[in-house]
Amino acid sequence: MRSYVHGYSEKESCRLAAQAGTLTELLHGDTAYPAGSRVLEAGCGVGAQTVTLSRSSPGAQFDCMDISAASLDAARRMAAHEQLANVTFRQGDIYHLPYRAGSFDHVFVCFVLEHLADPLRALAGIRRVLKPGGTLTAIEGDHGSYYCHPKSRAADLAVRCLVRIQAEAGGDALIGRRLYPLLSGAGYAAVAVSPRMVYVDASRPALVDGFTRKTFTAMVEGVKAQALAMRLIDEQTWNRGIADLYRTTAPDGTFCYTFFKGIGARP
Amino acid sequence: MRSYVHGYSEKESCRLAAQAGTLTELLHGDTAYPAGSRVLEAGCGVGAQTVTLSRSSPGAQFDCMDISAASLDAARRMAAHEQLANVTFRQGDIYHLPYRAGSFDHVFVCFVLEHLADPLRALAGIRRVLKPGGTLTAIEGDHGSYYCHPKSRAADLAVRCLVRIQAEAGGDALIGRRLYPLLSGAGYAAVAVSPRMVYVDASRPALVDGFTRKTFTAMVEGVKAQALAMRLIDEQTWNRGIADLYRTTAPDGTFCYTFFKGIGARP
């Protein structure tokens, strides 16, 4: 479990919840499943997206699966607290999905493929559990899409640490740009990928706080100990990089990041 | 005139025309001026945007200005060929606009600020020729927003040459991310900036050809001689970089670039 780059701490659960709140409309606004659909959320984690899924599609039935028992416990508590009636949880491995072929009308994966050493194999396995004509929806970020004003070499280096740590753990923090070839390569049909860009300036104070500060910069800050232990950066450069990321939240600063959302159908 | 990074060649005029065609809806689809408006297009160049402006706002009257007599000649020929009835051309310096204060209902600048050593001063001068309540619309790219799949260090270095050459000429190829602070800093009110991201994959063949190949990569290729003469890169790396940019047009490749459109009003 240690290879999950963002860790499993309480603080991290808060970050994921804040992220989900800020980005809900941008990422999930166009996802709704018909009543009666059976939907798998593969890699649901602590349930950060589950509440949105459940509420956007009240007539669908969600099977939410994750490899981490601790995350599932948190997700179950969240679902009980939010009184989600159309959600069940189950532990399982995304490479060996514990479902028969053709079990689902739709599958949803969000911020999961970036952590996998072999996303193509996972996507092929997901295809197997879809009914013919059923769809996969995948949402991923791409840390290479980040840029800001004022520009900062130290901030770039700090962000690059996150990319390298995720690569070291077997993942790919630059996977957003690869969604199209991954879904196509895994045998999905009618693949359509759309970018979801987050642009932040002082006229968008909710994003300044909710995205630049509490989502992106908090995520980078979360790997400080690992980055220093792995000697990817010296502490002075790191601290300056983090300070420069916060500097972009000043009235004359701007910040950019892009998520990618891909949809494909089982032929 | 030599400091205009893209040059004034016939081939470059074709590139600008191809670019305008591909991106018209993305960049200009939400720009239309009311009948009776008097609009200044500052830095119209060869008129690549002028035809779109003129046709989108047939009842407005456009004063199109550029510092280059040769570009204005090309723009006048284009306007005659396209039978644009609501456009007149005039030579002038964007730092010393040849118009009285409060002459215009609206001003439009596109791919101009990136070439200026002092965009803030130009924007303040534009504010002067606007009527109170009149708007400025500014559109710029940001070469730091480029990324692609497959990733290529050589392609990154080739693109960086363009950024450095433009900086050497006194411009800023990364100006898109700065539009918000620039417009705010120049005294505009109600500043609103929106990103216009171009995402290209094999499912969008018109963009693969019209944007990745004929707009972006052609633009980078256009500075090869300068990049080599300035010893910013060796020829082998350059050639590999350009080949890698074309490589992104294969069925499994993707390409991303973001323009920024900003609007502000004279208080």
Side-chain angles (χ1 to χ4, degrees), chain A residues 20 29 31 40 64 79 99 111 117 132 140 142 147 150 154 159 217 219 222 263-264:
Chain A
T31 294
L40 170 65
C64 300
Y99 306 98
F111 307 143
E140 296 292 342
D142 189 313
Y147 51 100
V159 173
T217 306
M219 175 178 66
I263 298 181

Side-chain angles (χ1 to χ4, degrees), chain A residues 50-88:
Chain A
T50 306
V51 61
T52 302
L53 282 178
S54 164
R55 296 224 165 107
S56 300
S57 304
Q61 182 62 42
F62 292 90
D63 288 43
C64 300
M65 191 204 83
D66 201 86
I67 199 166
S68 160
S71 293
L72 285 169
D73 282 346
R76 281 193 187 95
R77 283 195 302 273
M78 178 281 299
H81 181 262
E82 300 287 342
Q83 300 185 296
L84 305 183
N86 57 344
V87 171
T88 59

Side-chain angles (χ1 to χ4, degrees), chain A residues 16-266:
Chain A
L16 291 174
Q19 172 175 299
T22 304
L23 301 174
T24 299
E25 187 53 35
L26 180 72
L27 300 183
H28 305 303
D30 53 350
T31 294
Y33 298 109
S37 315
R38 192 175 167 205
V39 183
L40 170 65
E41 185 188 10
C44 64
V46 296
Q49 326 300 330
T50 306
V51 61
T52 302
L53 282 178
S54 164
R55 296 224 165 107
S56 300
S57 304
Q61 182 62 42
F62 292 90
D63 288 43
C64 300
M65 191 204 83
D66 201 86
I67 199 166
S68 160
S71 293
L72 285 169
D73 282 346
R76 281 193 187 95
R77 283 195 302 273
M78 178 281 299
H81 181 262
E82 300 287 342
Q83 300 185 296
L84 305 183
N86 57 344
V87 171
T88 59
F89 293 93
R90 176 169 182 174
Q91 193 170 6
D93 179 350
I94 200 165
Y95 290 122
H96 304 282
L97 294 170
Y99 306 98
R100 290 172 212 263
S103 294
F104 294 98
D105 298 293
H106 304 285
V107 178
F108 180 88
V109 290
C110 184
F111 307 143
V112 173
L113 301 174
E114 60 178 315
H115 299 293
L116 302 180
D118 194 348
L120 204 63
R121 184 158 67 95
L123 287 166
I126 288 170
R127 187 167 50 85
R128 188 189 63 84
V129 303
L130 274 170
K131 297 176 185 169
T135 67
L136 163 71
T137 298
I139 301 175
E140 296 292 342
D142 189 313
H143 296 354
S145 73
Y146 130 85
Y147 51 100
C148 61
H149 175 74
K151 273 173 44 110
S152 158
R153 174 82 180 141
D156 293 351
L157 291 172
V159 173
R160 195 177 300 172
C161 287
L162 184 55
V163 174
R164 291 174 67 182
I165 290 168
Q166 198 150 336
E168 199 70 29
D172 179 6
L174 310 178
I175 200 169
R177 71 188 75 178
R178 291 172 56 208
L179 267 190
Y180 181 85
L182 280 170
L183 268 60
S184 301
Y188 291 86
V191 175
V193 172
S194 61
R196 309 287 165 113
M197 182 171 172
V198 183
Y199 164 72
V200 187
D201 63 31
S203 71
R204 309 172 184 221
L207 285 173
V208 170
D209 190 58
F211 190 76
T212 307
R213 278 200 198 97
K214 291 186 177 150
T215 299
F216 188 82
T217 306
M219 175 178 66
V220 178
E221 279 188 293
V223 300
K224 176 177 184 177
Q226 283 167 276
L228 296 179
M230 291 166 72
R231 298 179 190 280
L232 300 178
I233 194 169
D234 66 87
E235 186 162 10
Q236 193 185 351
T237 306
W238 175 272
N239 290 340
R240 196 167 58 242
I242 298 299
D244 287 350
L245 287 173
Y246 282 114
R247 168 68 183 82
T248 72
T249 66
D252 66 345
T254 65
F255 189 91
C256 299
Y257 187 90
T258 300
F259 297 90
F260 291 82
K261 183 167 186 172
I263 298 181
R266 178 176 171 176

